[in-house]
Amino acid sequence: MKTATPTLARAINDRLALDLLLDQGPLTAPQLRTLTGLSRPTVSDLVERLRAGGLIEVAGETGGDRRGPNARLYGIVAGRAHLAGVDVRRNAVHVSVANIAGTQVAELSRPLPASPDLAAFIADAVTEAAGGRALHTVVTGAPGLVHPATGLATDSGVPGWRTDLRDALGARLGVPVVLENEVNLAAVAEHRAGAAAGRGDFVLLWLDDGIGAGVVLDGRLRRGASGGAGEVGLLRFYDTDFCHMVETGYIDDLPAATVADRIVEGVFSLVAVLDPGLVVLGGRTGREGGDELAALVAERLAALSPAPTEVRPSVVEGDAILRGAVLTALDLTRDAVYG
């Protein structure tokens, strides 16, 4: 085993301190020493280094209720970088802009026209939402398969769609752009801040005006060789596509028990192949169905599968796709800025 060089050791210590400040808010140098286990000189050096680099700043003082000198509180320079998440729907584009601390600073939604120049339309929406702030990274979620290596995407039914949307959008914005399947991004949000938090293996079954699944195994999102992992809407049961069995337009007036009968067909296929231990029901149907629908699906699944599997409704608030896009953009931006 090789010993870390002084440069690498400093980088590791700096990132450790930055992650603590992001997670716990402003901290004093003694608190950083306690949480990191680093020595007083090492923490003193990294604080000065991070301040000089414009990454942290004095955010106040603590100890005003006791005698003696107050301790400085150090916090993240939130405006050091900004990023955007984009959710491209078939009828609208939604944008959220956040700073590097993860605080949302702007949000915007625009209805899609019938035949837009899609790259230009999205770029204009992102630029307007940014409000003059320079963006570091933009992560965009959209329906369809996105090839993990090339970034090329299949036709998703979005007006004005183009297979090279990622590159076209990046050229217009002049910043790194990531294009990802929208259900995969919803799975990221569910993993980080939802019903699958703390779980290494789970599947998010997205039940909305589109049907798909986000697969997370060993804590990692699985896209497949061509980006097609989780495309359960293509499965056929009783000579009917699964998407036509469970899309919102086909089940809105059905009783919950009948909806559960249909959903379990796809859930059982996922469980039989992946054995994820947890299935989260997302999208409009999963959220609105709540615990009642999840319990009905779990009951039916238990009668079909010997693999113990929890079924839970999504608990991510708001637009889960947009939330996952912002979280992904945050990770990429922090890695680039913080090392």
Side-chain angles (χ1 to χ4, degrees), residues 99-118:
N99 60 35
I100 200 168
T103 302
Q104 180 178 285
V105 297
E107 192 173 27
L108 178 146
S109 293
R110 278 187 175 181
L112 265 177
S115 301
D117 179 336
L118 189 60

Side-chain angles (χ1 to χ4, degrees), residues 23 25 83 104-105 129 184 201 226 231 252 256 312:
D23 184 55
L83 51 106
Q104 180 178 285
V105 297
N184 285 345
D201 303 314
S226 60
E231 291 295 324
D252 287 342
R312 301 177 183 174

Side-chain angles (χ1 to χ4, degrees), residues 157-237:
V158 173
W161 186 257
R162 50 191 297 174
T163 59
D164 64 342
L165 180 63
R166 182 196 68 177
D167 294 342
L169 190 54
R172 286 185 174 273
L173 291 172
V175 301
V177 172
V178 174
L179 181 64
E180 180 66 89
N181 172 268
E182 92 276 39
V183 180
N184 285 345
L185 291 178
V188 170
E190 209 66 58
H191 194 206
R192 298 274 287 274
R199 301 292 289 259
D201 303 314
F202 78 97
V203 170
L204 169 68
L205 179 60
W206 188 257
L207 302 163
D208 212 295
D209 61 350
I211 305 299
V215 179
V216 174
L217 299 175
D218 297 326
R220 296 176 57 194
L221 184 66
R222 304 293 176 164
R223 298 174 177 85
S226 60
E231 291 295 324
V232 292
L234 302 175
L235 295 174
R236 291 185 65 82
F237 302 101

Side-chain angles (χ1 to χ4, degrees), residues 8-32:
L8 177 58
R10 284 194 296 271
I12 292 171
N13 292 339
D14 289 357
R15 185 59 190 266
L16 176 59
L18 288 164
D19 285 343
L20 285 168
L21 291 169
L22 287 166
D23 184 55
Q24 301 192 27
L27 297 168
T28 65
Q31 288 172 327
L32 283 171

Side-chain angles (χ1 to χ4, degrees), residues 10-336:
R10 284 194 296 271
I12 292 171
N13 292 339
D14 289 357
R15 185 59 190 266
L16 176 59
L18 288 164
D19 285 343
L20 285 168
L21 291 169
L22 287 166
D23 184 55
Q24 301 192 27
L27 297 168
T28 65
Q31 288 172 327
L32 283 171
R33 291 200 300 271
T34 299
L35 292 169
T36 62
L38 299 173
S39 67
R40 181 189 296 267
T42 298
V43 169
S44 178
D45 286 346
L46 76 81
V47 165
E48 291 308 310
R49 189 164 54 247
L50 295 176
R51 287 187 67 189
L55 302 179
I56 67 172
E57 62 187 352
V58 177
E61 294 184 342
T62 186
D65 57 347
R66 60 174 173 78
R67 292 183 178 181
N70 295 342
R72 289 179 172 180
L73 283 165
Y74 298 100
I76 292 292
V77 178
R80 181 68 168 76
H82 290 86
L83 51 106
V86 182
D87 176 14
V88 180
R89 303 286 82 210
R90 293 184 176 90
N91 61 355
V93 169
H94 309 288
V95 183
S96 177
V97 177
N99 60 35
I100 200 168
T103 302
Q104 180 178 285
V105 297
E107 192 173 27
L108 178 146
S109 293
R110 278 187 175 181
L112 265 177
S115 301
D117 179 336
L118 189 60
F121 186 89
I122 296 172
D124 288 346
V126 171
T127 301
E128 181 180 344
R133 302 177 184 90
L135 296 178
H136 185 281
T137 302
V138 175
V139 173
T140 302
L145 278 64
V146 181
H147 197 288
T150 66
L152 297 176
T154 60
D155 187 356
S156 61
V158 173
W161 186 257
R162 50 191 297 174
T163 59
D164 64 342
L165 180 63
R166 182 196 68 177
D167 294 342
L169 190 54
R172 286 185 174 273
L173 291 172
V175 301
V177 172
V178 174
L179 181 64
E180 180 66 89
N181 172 268
E182 92 276 39
V183 180
N184 285 345
L185 291 178
V188 170
E190 209 66 58
H191 194 206
R192 298 274 287 274
R199 301 292 289 259
D201 303 314
F202 78 97
V203 170
L204 169 68
L205 179 60
W206 188 257
L207 302 163
D208 212 295
D209 61 350
I211 305 299
V215 179
V216 174
L217 299 175
D218 297 326
R220 296 176 57 194
L221 184 66
R222 304 293 176 164
R223 298 174 177 85
S226 60
E231 291 295 324
V232 292
L234 302 175
L235 295 174
R236 291 185 65 82
F237 302 101
Y238 316 110
D239 293 325
T240 303
D241 291 343
F242 184 56
C243 61
H244 292 155
M245 293 172 58
V246 294
E247 276 188 337
T248 50
Y250 295 93
I251 62 170
D252 287 342
D253 299 324
L254 297 178
T258 302
V259 174
D261 287 338
R262 295 185 177 194
I263 290 173
V264 78
E265 300 287 352
V267 170
F268 175 56
S269 297
L270 290 165
V271 169
V273 174
L274 300 174
D275 186 19
L278 171 63
V279 174
V280 178
L281 305 181
R284 195 186 93 186
T285 298
R287 291 194 308 271
E288 293 181 355
D291 291 331
E292 178 187 0
L293 179 61
L296 289 171
V297 174
E299 178 184 4
R300 287 153 174 75
L301 180 62
L304 296 172
S305 173
T309 307
E310 293 181 73
V311 181
R312 301 177 183 174
S314 169
V315 296
V316 175
E317 296 183 3
D319 186 334
I321 298 166
L322 197 57
R323 182 77 178 276
V326 170
L327 288 169
T328 303
L330 269 174
D331 288 345
L332 295 170
T333 301
R334 288 172 178 173
D335 285 347

